[in-house]
């Protein structure tokens, strides 16, 4: 585990698709430093040979028939939540020049 | 007052035709009108819709005609589902019923009212809601706990008969403890999460907050069960939880984790819990000290895994299909960035950033994989302990409800208060909080909760112990 936390907060914000003001970036940077220092508790334990647990119950690869079973949601009920829609589709800003 | 009754009492009176479902909805609605402006438990409530359903309710059904309030992150067709966030607060209407709501309706229950919560269930005080403040019914200057703070305040404040909450790291049990009601998080996978807005998918579980243990058992009977729309839903039989209620606890082995009974717990909380343990012993339970040696890893593990999962789950809020879309954006990338930054509050952004960091290139093994390994050790602690005991008891929260704003500038201090509830989610186990006493702060008596944790799928023993204890109070 890294000794000091090299947090490039602007890089992380870009990955997370969040825009931060300079003031917010400074504040989040400091808070993340504090939280990560606490999380370093994990480095005090020898965990090398331990198997990771992704979730607590033994349920794996649940599969079912590839069919909707006639239970698709109503298109209008779904589209009425879209900020913008047109011709029965979600509308977004133009992406191809 | 009907709004202050238990489900079981109301069911008897409904079956005796002394009251109608309409009477109950109207009485709950009156209580909301009278007190919600000071408590802030509800974000919205549609009386007309509830009355329409109440009028056609089948009284013979097991939950027939009982209005049940719903945390605002569970979809009920046609109703808002804000998650306490501006990003969904503008005009989202649920296009379908969550799995748990389908079961509630099959049982005859009527979903009524939407309850405040920490934004996207991230928090332990409901102060992170972007849509309003919720106050503790015992002391209006204090928080109700969270994230299901609206649920707990509504039930404890007699503004709801019972409510649904969700629990990722203690979000049902802790507010139940701080407000003074019963809150149970069933085993991971017991109740369908189809239609619950996802926070941390390997930890989230829905459960009821109620006035009595018996009501919790009755609700679980009708809310649990397999759902093909949730791949983590367990395909197991739902036992009759009501049959656990009223059974004595002679010979039940109760474990006290020595790591949980250390300094850091408020002395008043510790005293109430010690008295509860003596009470269990006097009922015939066998008290044993046990060890959960990796307890100190719990909070650190959680604050890697939960934000990591949240950062992925909340990627869906992009201003395209639902939720807030910025009107300042020029291109698609800017639309994502601005819509999310305008829509998410400070705690949600903090956790998304933390989660993105621990999953980012170069840090994944050091944080995420390491935390998954620590999770194995924490889960192993419980497996070992349950070879010796039937249930494990502790305080639900080390502290009583704090003052509004008290922990605002210190997110880490707030995170540390989840020390007793978080390991239960990491291990996927069932846990319940029952009121066990009071602590007096500034002349006001504040509730203390006793947490009882059981083996996976053994909610029955939890309810048996919780009920036996409740009857002594």
């Amino acid at each position: 585990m890294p000794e000091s936390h090299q947090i490039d907060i602007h890089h992380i914000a870009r990955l997370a698709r969040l825009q931060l003001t300079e003031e917010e970036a400074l504040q989040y940077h400091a808070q993340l430093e504090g939280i990560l220092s606490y999380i370093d508790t994990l480095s005090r334990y020898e965990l090398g040979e331990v198997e990771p647990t992704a979730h607590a119950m033994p349920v794996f690869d649940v599969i079912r028939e590839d069919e909707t079973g006639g239970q698709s949601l109503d298109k209008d009920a779904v589209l009425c939540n879209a900020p913008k829609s047109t011709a029965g589709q979600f509308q977004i800003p133009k992406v191809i020049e | 007052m009907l709004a202050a009754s238990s489900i079981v009492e109301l069911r008897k009176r409904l079956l005796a035709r002394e009251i109608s479902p309409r009477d109950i909805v109207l009485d709950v609605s009156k209580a909301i009108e009278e007190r919600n402006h000071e408590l802030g438990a509800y974000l919205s409530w549609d009386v007309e819709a509830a009355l329409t359903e109440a009028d056609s309710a089948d009284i013979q059904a097991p939950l027939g005609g009982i209005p049940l309030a719903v945390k605002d992150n569970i979809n009920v067709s046609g109703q808002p589902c804000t998650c306490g966030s501006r990003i969904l607060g503008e005009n989202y209407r649920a296009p379908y019923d969550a799995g748990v709501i389908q079961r509630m309706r099959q049982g005859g229950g009527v979903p009524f009212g939407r309850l405040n919560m920490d934004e996207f269930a991230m928090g332990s005080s409901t102060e992170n809601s972007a849509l309003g403040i919720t106050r503790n019914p015992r002391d209006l200057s204090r928080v109700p706990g969270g994230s299901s703070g609206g649920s707990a305040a509504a039930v404890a404040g007699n503004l709801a008969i019972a409510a649904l909450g969700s629990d990722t790291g203690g979000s049902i049990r802790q507010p139940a403890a701080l407000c003074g009601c019963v809150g149970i998080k069933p085993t991971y996978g017991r109740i369908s999460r189809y239609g619950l807005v996802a926070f941390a998918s390997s930890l989230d579980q829905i459960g009821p907050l109620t006035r009595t243990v018996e009501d919790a058992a009755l609700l679980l009977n009708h809310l649990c069960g397999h759902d093909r729309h949730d791949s983590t839903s367990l395909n197991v039989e739902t036992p009759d939880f009501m049959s656990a209620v009223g059974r004595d606890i002679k010979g039940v082995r109760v474990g006290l984790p020595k790591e949980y009974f250390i300094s850091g717990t408020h002395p008043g909380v510790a005293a109430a819990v010690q008295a509860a343990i003596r009470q269990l012993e006097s009922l015939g339970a066998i008290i044993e000290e046990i060890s959960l040696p990796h307890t100190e890893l719990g909070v650190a593990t959680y604050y890697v895994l939960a934000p990591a999962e949240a950062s992925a789950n909340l990627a869906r809020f992009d201003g395209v299909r639902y939720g807030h879309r910025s009107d300042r954006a020029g291109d698609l990338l800017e639309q994502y960035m601005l819509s999310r930054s305008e829509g998410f509050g400070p705690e949600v952004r903090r956790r998304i950033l933390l989660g993105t960091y621990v999953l980012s290139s170069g840090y994944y093994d050091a944080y995420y994989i390491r935390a998954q390994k620590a999770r194995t050790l924490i889960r192993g602690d419980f497996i070992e302990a349950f070879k010796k005991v039937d249930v494990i008891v502790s305080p639900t929260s080390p502290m009583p409800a704090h003052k509004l704003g008290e922990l605002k500038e210190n997110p880490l201090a707030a995170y540390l208060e989840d020390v007793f509830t978080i390991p239960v989610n990491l291990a996927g186990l069932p846990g319940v909080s029952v009121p066990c006493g009071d602590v007096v702060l500034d002349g006001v008596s504040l509730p203390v909760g006793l947490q009882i944790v059981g083996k996976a799928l053994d909610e029955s023993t939890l309810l048996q112990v919780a009920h036996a204890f409740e009857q002594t109070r």
Side-chain angles (χ1 to χ4, degrees):
Chain A
M1 188 160 293
E3 279 297 304
S4 73
H5 308 100
Q6 308 284 323
I7 307 169
D8 179 349
I9 195 76
H10 293 290
H11 172 62
I12 297 299
R14 263 193 311 279
L15 290 177
R17 300 290 186 256
L18 289 172
Q19 193 170 70
L20 304 181
T21 63
E22 253 333 288
E23 195 186 337
E24 286 170 338
L26 281 171
Q27 194 191 15
Y28 283 127
H29 188 277
Q31 288 171 340
L32 257 53
E33 283 272 0
I35 296 164
L36 289 167
S37 299
Y38 177 75
I39 287 171
D40 284 345
T41 316
L42 297 180
S43 65
R44 296 213 298 269
Y45 283 76
E46 183 45 60
L47 297 168
E49 298 300 308
V50 180
E51 279 292 311
T53 295
H55 86 71
M57 299 300 285
V59 177
F60 305 97
D61 296 339
V62 178
I63 52 175
R64 59 165 175 78
E65 292 302 313
D66 186 18
E67 56 191 26
T68 64
Q71 293 180 26
S72 288
L73 299 176
D74 180 68
K75 196 171 173 181
D76 291 334
V78 172
L79 279 175
C80 78
N81 281 317
K84 275 187 186 161
S85 68
T86 184
Q89 317 224 12
F90 298 112
Q91 195 180 353
I92 58 168
K94 193 173 173 183
V95 284
I96 301 168
E97 289 306 320
Chain B
M1 189 168 114
L2 301 179
S5 306
S6 71
I7 300 175
V8 170
E9 285 162 16
L10 291 174
R11 288 289 306 149
K12 280 182 195 147
R13 298 186 63 188
L14 281 168
L15 288 170
R17 307 272 167 184
E18 290 170 24
I19 54 170
S20 70
R22 170 172 276 264
D23 297 333
I24 308 174
V25 170
L26 286 174
D27 198 59
V28 171
S29 156
K30 183 164 157 270
I32 299 172
E33 296 289 350
E34 281 171 7
R35 270 202 91 194
N36 196 59
H37 63 93
E38 60 178 12
L39 280 183
Y42 287 84
L43 291 171
S44 62
W45 60 98
D46 186 341
V47 184
E48 289 309 315
L51 285 174
T52 304
E53 282 195 54
D55 287 342
S56 59
D58 172 10
I59 295 175
Q60 299 306 318
L63 304 172
I66 303 292
L68 298 163
V70 181
K71 186 175 181 178
D72 213 10
N73 61 351
I74 297 172
N75 280 273
V76 175
S77 188
Q79 297 190 9
C81 186
T82 68
C83 294
S85 181
R86 273 195 293 274
I87 212 160
L88 283 171
E90 290 164 5
N91 49 20
Y92 178 82
R93 285 288 178 281
Y96 64 102
D97 272 344
V100 68
I101 300 298
Q102 294 168 18
R103 292 228 173 230
M104 181 196 287
R105 288 193 202 275
Q106 281 161 19
V110 176
F112 176 42
R114 311 290 308 171
L115 298 161
N116 201 13
M117 54 184 282
D118 285 301
E119 185 174 0
F120 286 100
M122 296 177 188
S124 315
S125 68
T126 314
E127 290 169 291
N128 295 330
S129 170
L131 305 179
I133 293 169
T134 303
R135 296 170 189 275
N136 194 307
R138 282 281 188 96
D139 178 348
L140 298 177
S141 71
R142 291 179 186 273
V143 302
S147 67
S148 311
S151 306
V155 174
N158 296 334
L159 270 61
I161 311 297
L164 292 185
S166 65
D167 190 316
T168 305
S171 282
I172 289 172
R173 291 159 287 157
Q174 185 259 18
L178 269 43
C179 289
C181 61
V182 176
I184 182 164
K185 179 198 94 70
T187 307
Y188 180 78
R190 261 284 190 215
I191 294 181
S192 165
R193 302 175 307 166
Y194 173 63
L196 166 71
V197 179
F199 162 15
S201 303
S202 81
L203 304 162
D204 298 339
Q205 181 56 213
I206 294 172
L209 293 95
T210 56
R211 230 159 246 138
T212 65
V213 174
E214 193 178 22
D215 277 3
L218 177 63
L219 283 178
L220 286 184
N221 270 0
H222 303 287
L223 300 179
C224 295
H226 182 246
D227 181 356
R228 62 191 285 273
H229 290 103
D230 172 2
S231 63
T232 62
S233 156
L234 296 173
N235 200 350
V236 294
E237 196 79 356
T238 303
D240 175 19
F241 295 115
M242 287 293 269
S243 69
V245 170
R247 246 189 260 157
D248 75 51
I249 59 165
K250 285 193 184 74
V252 172
R253 296 166 304 167
V254 174
L256 309 182
K258 64 179 181 196
E259 294 81 3
Y260 285 24
F261 290 87
I262 48 166
S263 60
T265 295
H266 187 281
V269 171
V273 169
Q274 291 297 350
I277 292 163
R278 286 195 295 277
Q279 193 65 259
L280 291 172
E281 194 165 23
S282 75
L283 292 170
I286 300 161
I287 311 293
E288 286 178 43
E289 187 181 88
I290 56 158
S291 176
L292 300 171
H294 299 97
T295 293
E296 74 155 343
L297 292 178
V299 175
T301 301
Y302 179 87
Y303 279 98
V304 174
L305 297 181
E309 294 183 23
S311 71
N313 274 326
L314 270 59
R316 74 192 62 185
F317 294 95
D318 54 9
V320 174
R321 291 150 301 159
Y322 39 70
H324 173 73
R325 178 186 289 197
S326 175
D327 55 15
R328 298 186 293 142
D331 60 20
L332 188 60
L333 179 63
E334 216 172 56
Q335 179 191 298
Y336 295 153
M337 310 266 295
L338 291 173
S339 301
R340 290 164 62 78
S341 299
E342 292 167 7
F344 290 136
E347 180 65 23
V348 173
R349 282 187 279 165
R350 179 153 50 237
R351 296 210 200 181
I352 290 174
L353 290 168
L354 179 58
T356 304
Y357 178 78
V358 300
L359 290 175
S360 64
S361 175
Y363 298 98
Y364 182 81
D365 286 348
Y367 289 105
Y368 189 67
I369 295 293
R370 198 166 254 281
Q372 286 197 321
K373 289 179 171 186
R375 184 173 185 179
T376 304
L377 298 180
I378 292 161
R379 185 164 173 261
D381 283 357
F382 283 103
I383 292 170
E384 278 307 304
F386 281 124
K387 289 177 181 168
K388 299 186 194 107
V389 296
D390 302 308
V391 294
I392 295 172
V393 306
S394 72
T396 305
S397 166
M399 305 296 283
H402 60 72
K403 293 266 188 190
L404 283 155
E406 199 176 313
L407 294 180
K408 205 168 179 197
E409 299 307 317
N410 192 347
L412 183 58
Y415 296 174
L416 292 172
E417 293 205 348
D418 301 334
V419 59
F420 301 137
T421 47
I422 275 176
V424 182
N425 297 76
L426 290 169
L429 302 173
V432 65
S433 180
V434 282
C436 75
D438 294 295
V439 48
V440 178
L441 279 188
D442 304 335
V444 182
S445 162
L446 300 171
V448 176
L450 176 74
Q451 178 175 248
I452 310 171
V453 178
K455 296 172 194 167
L457 297 174
D458 191 18
E459 289 84 357
S460 291
T461 306
L462 282 194
L463 294 162
Q464 177 190 352
V465 176
H467 184 262
F469 174 72
E470 182 189 49
Q471 299 313 300
T472 66
R473 291 181 38 82

